[in-house]
């Protein structure tokens, strides 16, 4: 089974931490939807007719689309792809866009899962991050969702905020769990160079939170949500039983997926494809019936490294038999000193050919995975 990701490259305003591709120019929204539909048609052979188990509308801010846009996109998806009757169809939304009417429109048009960017319930933090919504809207939108037909939704929170406190973080988690979301994604604030925060940092106006501060909040996050009935199934993701994200899990499981829209990525099981990160160039290409993508041919080393990076972030861990049988690589033979050191320092376990990071190890997941990387 495969997945489809659709990138909607529009936002009302720029969050100061965001380095995703988007534009605040809504004048081309109709043209963009037409181009997205055209790309769905042109890319119809990419997944070789595989059954689509998940569709994910990301961005940007998909909740800026109206019903006519949704109907057009779903019309093309259904015409050119084989979509499972029980496919998970996720739609990212900002709290300020959620109304009772909007929820009804989304649900009636086939959306069955929401992903809502709360980020924080604290008004000062939201203002500092330049979020489009305020604290009151964050609470209001969740009350509307709880009364709606949506029984599957995910909420996002950010931790490691340098001008905040542990007390604020604890209040955010308590508020979030109070709404009993089936799924929670929580990410540490990272200062990227091409963002407002990145420019502030370069000018000495902003310092990232210390590693100790962020680590303490991560550990509290994991403990609090685990005690509240959530499974910590990936470094940044928590779910109640039966509510793992099918779409995100397909990435971690090396499943094929098609990315539609400017800046979207695709993976056919062997190689990757990257769409141009420019609305203008994307529109121009599709108007000429051209796919605005560049092929990235993965080497054996690339595929091994990607599997190590994604699998070690999950509770399923790194399957040594998969590495041996599918990628012809003996991890224990090639990385025995590192693995033994991790085991001795409480960073991992190795049982039944599964290498798993402990909670302590997950604090360093990306660094530990990179220590195992093969160099081309």
């Amino acid at each position: 089974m495969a997945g489809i990701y659709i990138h909607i490259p529009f936002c009302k305003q720029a969050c100061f931490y965001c380095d995703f591709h988007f534009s605040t120019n809504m004048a081309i929204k109709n043209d963009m939807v037409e181009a997205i539909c055209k790309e769905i048609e042109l890319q119809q052979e990419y997944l070789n007719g595989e059954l689509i188990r998940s569709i994910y509308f990301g961005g940007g801010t998909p909740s800026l689309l109206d019903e006519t846009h949704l109907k057009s996109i779903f019309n093309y998806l259904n015409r050119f792809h084989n979509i499972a009757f029980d496919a998970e169809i996720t739609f990212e939304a900002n709290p300020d866009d959620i109304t009772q009417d909007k929820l009804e429109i989304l649900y009636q048009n086939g959306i069955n899962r929401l992903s809502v960017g709360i980020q924080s319930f604290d008004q000062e933090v939201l203002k500092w991050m330049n979020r489009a919504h305020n604290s009151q809207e964050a609470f209001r939108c969740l009350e509307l969702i709880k009364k709606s037909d949506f029984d599957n939704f995910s909420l996002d929170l950010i931790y490691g905020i340098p001008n905040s406190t542990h007390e604020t973080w604890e209040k955010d988690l308590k508020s979030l769990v109070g709404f009993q979301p089936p799924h929670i994604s929580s990410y540490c604030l990272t200062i990227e160079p091409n963002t407002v925060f990145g420019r502030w940092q370069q000018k000495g106006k902003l310092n990232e939170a210390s590693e100790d501060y962020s680590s303490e909040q991560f550990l509290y996050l994991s403990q609090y949500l685990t005690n509240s009935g959530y499974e910590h199934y990936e470094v940044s993701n928590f779910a109640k039983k039966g509510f793992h994200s099918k779409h995100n899990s397909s990435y971690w499981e090396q499943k094929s997926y098609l990315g539609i829209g400017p800046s979207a990525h695709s993976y056919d099981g062997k190689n990757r494809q990257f769409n141009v990160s420019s609305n203008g160039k994307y529109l121009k290409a599709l108007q000429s019936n051209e796919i605005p993508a560049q092929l990235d041919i993965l080497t054996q080393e690339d595929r091994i490294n990607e599997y190590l990076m994604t699998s070690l972030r999950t509770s399923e861990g790194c399957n040594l038999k998969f590495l041996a049988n599918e990628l012809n690589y003996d991890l224990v033979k090639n990385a025995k000193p590192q693995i033994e050191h991790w085991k001795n320092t409480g960073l991992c376990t190795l049982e039944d050919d599964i290498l798993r990071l402990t909670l302590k190890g997950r604090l360093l997941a990306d660094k530990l995975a990179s220590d195992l990387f093969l160099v081309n």
Side-chain angles (χ1 to χ4, degrees):
M1 292 189 180
I4 294 177
Y5 171 81
I6 299 175
H7 189 79
I8 307 300
F10 300 108
C11 287
K12 293 178 182 176
Q13 61 192 51
C15 300
F16 287 169
Y17 56 81
C18 181
D19 71 340
F20 292 159
H21 172 68
F22 72 92
S23 170
T24 56
N25 177 14
M26 305 293 175
I28 61 170
K29 191 161 57 171
N30 291 338
D31 292 337
M32 182 59 67
V33 170
E34 288 183 11
I36 284 171
C37 290
K38 173 59 70 173
E39 189 188 0
I40 290 171
E41 179 180 357
L42 294 179
Q43 297 266 40
Q44 61 183 289
E45 303 297 334
Y46 185 83
L47 295 172
N48 295 314
E50 283 192 69
L51 186 65
I52 306 302
R53 70 188 289 240
S54 70
I55 298 171
Y56 193 103
F57 288 80
T61 311
S63 50
L64 293 174
L65 297 180
D66 61 32
E67 187 172 15
T68 58
H69 297 141
L70 281 177
K71 287 183 180 297
S72 295
I73 292 172
F74 274 113
N75 179 41
Y76 273 76
L77 287 171
N78 286 308
R79 281 175 60 190
F80 296 107
H81 291 281
N82 182 19
I83 300 173
F85 76 94
D86 60 347
E88 175 192 270
I89 304 178
T90 304
F91 196 84
E92 288 187 354
N94 278 352
D96 48 303
D97 293 325
I98 291 179
T99 63
Q100 182 176 339
D101 288 344
K102 186 76 170 185
L103 291 172
E104 290 175 0
I105 288 171
L106 294 176
Y107 192 79
Q108 290 168 3
N109 282 276
I111 306 298
N112 55 33
R113 183 175 184 269
L114 299 174
S115 178
V116 185
I118 298 295
Q119 313 311 359
S120 177
F121 290 96
D122 185 89
Q123 180 59 30
E124 291 305 312
V125 171
L126 291 172
K127 184 178 179 180
W128 180 75
M129 293 191 295
N130 202 42
R131 291 291 292 168
H133 72 278
N134 58 40
S135 179
Q136 184 178 2
E137 288 170 324
F139 284 106
R140 179 191 55 79
C141 86
L142 295 183
E143 291 168 356
L144 289 173
I145 291 171
K146 291 294 288 185
K147 295 177 183 177
S148 74
D149 291 321
F150 285 96
D151 58 6
N152 191 0
F153 61 97
S154 179
L155 306 181
D156 288 2
L157 278 186
I158 294 177
Y159 65 92
I161 298 170
N163 65 336
S164 189
T165 65
H166 285 336
E167 182 182 10
T168 297
W169 179 232
E170 291 167 11
K171 286 181 179 178
D172 273 351
L173 287 172
K174 184 176 181 180
S175 295
L176 195 77
V177 170
F179 288 97
Q180 288 296 296
H183 190 279
I184 295 169
S185 295
S186 189
Y187 306 95
C188 185
L189 179 67
T190 302
I191 308 300
E192 302 291 349
N194 295 319
T195 63
V196 172
F197 282 164
R199 291 188 284 275
W200 286 2
Q201 186 180 55
Q202 292 165 13
K203 295 177 181 178
K205 296 180 179 180
L206 173 65
N207 293 316
E208 281 188 279
S210 69
E211 288 188 11
D212 287 345
Y213 176 81
S214 297
S215 296
E216 288 167 2
Q217 293 198 338
F218 172 80
L219 293 173
Y220 183 82
L221 164 74
S222 182
Q223 180 184 28
Y224 187 85
L225 293 185
T226 300
N227 291 341
S228 300
Y230 292 86
E231 179 189 354
H232 191 178
Y233 74 104
E234 195 270 347
V235 169
S236 301
N237 289 274
F238 303 79
K240 292 194 171 183
K241 186 175 182 180
F243 286 96
H244 288 199
S245 168
K246 291 182 181 178
H247 194 81
N248 289 347
S249 295
S250 70
Y251 294 156
W252 308 324
E253 295 167 4
Q254 310 291 298
K255 304 293 185 182
S256 300
Y257 61 89
L258 169 63
I260 298 290
S263 80
H265 296 180
S266 303
Y267 177 62
D268 65 4
K270 293 184 179 179
N271 298 305
R272 298 202 178 278
Q273 183 173 286
F274 301 85
N275 281 3
V276 63
S277 295
S278 163
N279 287 359
K281 291 179 180 178
Y282 179 83
L283 291 175
K284 184 177 181 180
L286 269 302
Q287 287 165 359
S288 301
N289 290 322
E290 297 176 0
I291 299 172
Q294 178 179 347
L295 181 65
D296 181 21
I297 298 176
L298 300 180
T299 65
Q300 184 77 347
E301 289 82 1
D302 290 333
R303 296 181 66 198
I304 291 169
N305 291 346
E306 288 196 5
Y307 178 71
L308 291 171
M309 175 63 76
T310 56
S311 65
L312 285 174
R313 290 180 59 90
T314 70
S315 59
E316 296 295 320
C318 177
N319 189 318
L320 304 189
K321 288 183 178 178
F322 176 86
L323 275 174
N325 297 334
E326 299 296 326
L327 298 174
N328 194 31
Y329 184 66
D330 188 332
L331 179 62
V332 173
K333 178 181 178 181
N334 288 279
K336 188 173 182 178
Q338 292 100 315
I339 294 173
E340 288 300 319
H341 175 67
W342 294 356
K343 288 166 61 179
N344 293 335
T345 53
L347 296 175
C348 77
T349 62
L350 178 55
E351 298 176 357
D352 299 325
D353 290 318
I354 303 293
L355 178 66
R356 289 188 179 89
L357 297 184
T358 61
L359 181 59
K360 179 181 176 182
R362 288 190 188 188
L363 274 168
L364 307 167
D366 291 348
K367 168 63 169 61
L368 296 180
S370 67
D371 288 344
L372 301 179
F373 282 180
L374 281 69
V375 179
N376 290 327

